[in-house]
Amino acid sequence: MADSVLSQLKGLSKDWHRVKPKESGGGFQRVPDGNYQVICKQARLENAKSSGRLQIAWMFRVLSGDQKGKPIYVYQGLDSENNLSWVKGVIKALGVEPPNVVTNLPSRLEKCLEKKANATCATQGDFNNTYITAWGSSKKAEDDEDMEALEDLEDEEDDEDDDEELEEEEDEPVVRKKKKVRR
């Protein structure tokens, strides 16, 4: 890795420690707006050609559906605390812990390769935004809602069963046995 990139990373150390991960946003897309299951094929530190800012160039490949095999490119600058939060969020969404020390970022990016995630592509005005979230996270939320609804239904059925048992118990005499106490 070029020494200039490493020295730029060292300059980010203070901000890196302060920021919390955010779900990924920002980037460039060439697929229609929508939700996709993707795999990370590239996570490269580089300087942007136009501005020279230090950034991560991500490339995700769509795994299924009409857009299967198409790339989704995301460029995340490392030039502000806000952007660093988004970077940490993408790393975390890919199932990799963000490094505690920003100069370890290159090795963590290598660990992101071949990891699966969800990508939501959304055009807002002139901007194409791509949000990267953990694999199955939106499905998990739906599953959690389904499980809560099922548990609520079971609780209602249990309450009805308890009511029926109470009605049956009222009709039957209660017989209690005495316990023997040893001294």
Side-chain angles (χ1 to χ4, degrees):
M1 172 169 303
D3 287 336
S4 67
V5 169
L6 199 52
S7 66
Q8 290 177 64
L9 283 175
K10 286 179 184 176
L12 298 171
S13 291
K14 192 177 190 182
D15 290 340
W16 185 260
H17 286 289
R18 275 200 305 259
V19 302
K20 301 285 185 235
K22 293 182 183 179
E23 287 190 5
S24 170
F28 177 79
Q29 72 178 64
R30 291 183 188 234
V31 296
D33 287 359
N35 297 314
Y36 301 94
Q37 293 179 333
V38 296
I39 188 166
C40 181
K41 299 305 271 181
Q42 174 186 296
R44 184 180 67 231
L45 277 167
E46 64 183 24
N47 291 101
K49 291 178 181 128
S50 60
S51 68
R53 78 174 180 172
L54 185 60
Q55 66 183 11
I56 298 174
W58 299 93
M59 194 274 279
F60 298 92
R61 192 153 310 275
V62 178
L63 293 172
S64 60
D66 293 344
Q67 303 301 314
K68 183 178 181 177
K70 289 195 178 172
I72 297 175
Y73 297 95
V74 178
Y75 298 94
Q76 291 185 302
L78 301 174
D79 53 350
S80 72
E81 283 187 40
N82 188 45
N83 289 352
L84 294 175
S85 290
W86 291 115
V87 168
K88 281 186 171 183
V90 172
I91 293 169
K92 203 167 185 76
L94 290 167
V96 177
E97 270 305 304
N100 290 325
V101 180
V102 71
T103 53
N104 292 335
L105 187 57
S107 64
R108 292 298 165 94
L109 292 178
E110 286 179 28
K111 291 181 179 184
C112 291
L113 299 176
E114 302 302 317
K115 300 286 183 170
K116 295 176 183 176
N118 294 322
T120 300
C121 299
T123 304
Q124 296 173 344
D126 292 337
F127 298 98
N128 295 319
N129 297 302
T130 302
Y131 300 92
I132 304 297
T133 56
W135 178 263
S137 61
S138 59
K139 174 129 179 60
K140 183 182 182 315
E142 292 170 9
D143 289 347
D144 288 349
E145 289 173 11
D146 291 345
M147 284 303 293
E148 287 174 12
L150 182 59
E151 288 169 358
D152 289 345
L153 181 61
E154 289 173 350
D155 288 345
E156 289 173 12
E157 290 173 357
D158 288 345
D159 289 345
E160 290 172 10
D161 291 344
D162 291 345
D163 291 344
E164 290 172 10
E165 288 174 10
L166 284 176
E167 290 171 9
E168 290 173 8
E169 288 175 5
E170 289 174 1
D171 295 339
E172 299 173 3
V174 177
V175 178
R176 296 180 189 207
K177 296 182 180 180
K178 292 184 178 177
K179 291 184 180 177
K180 292 181 181 178
V181 179
R182 293 187 182 177
R183 292 186 185 193

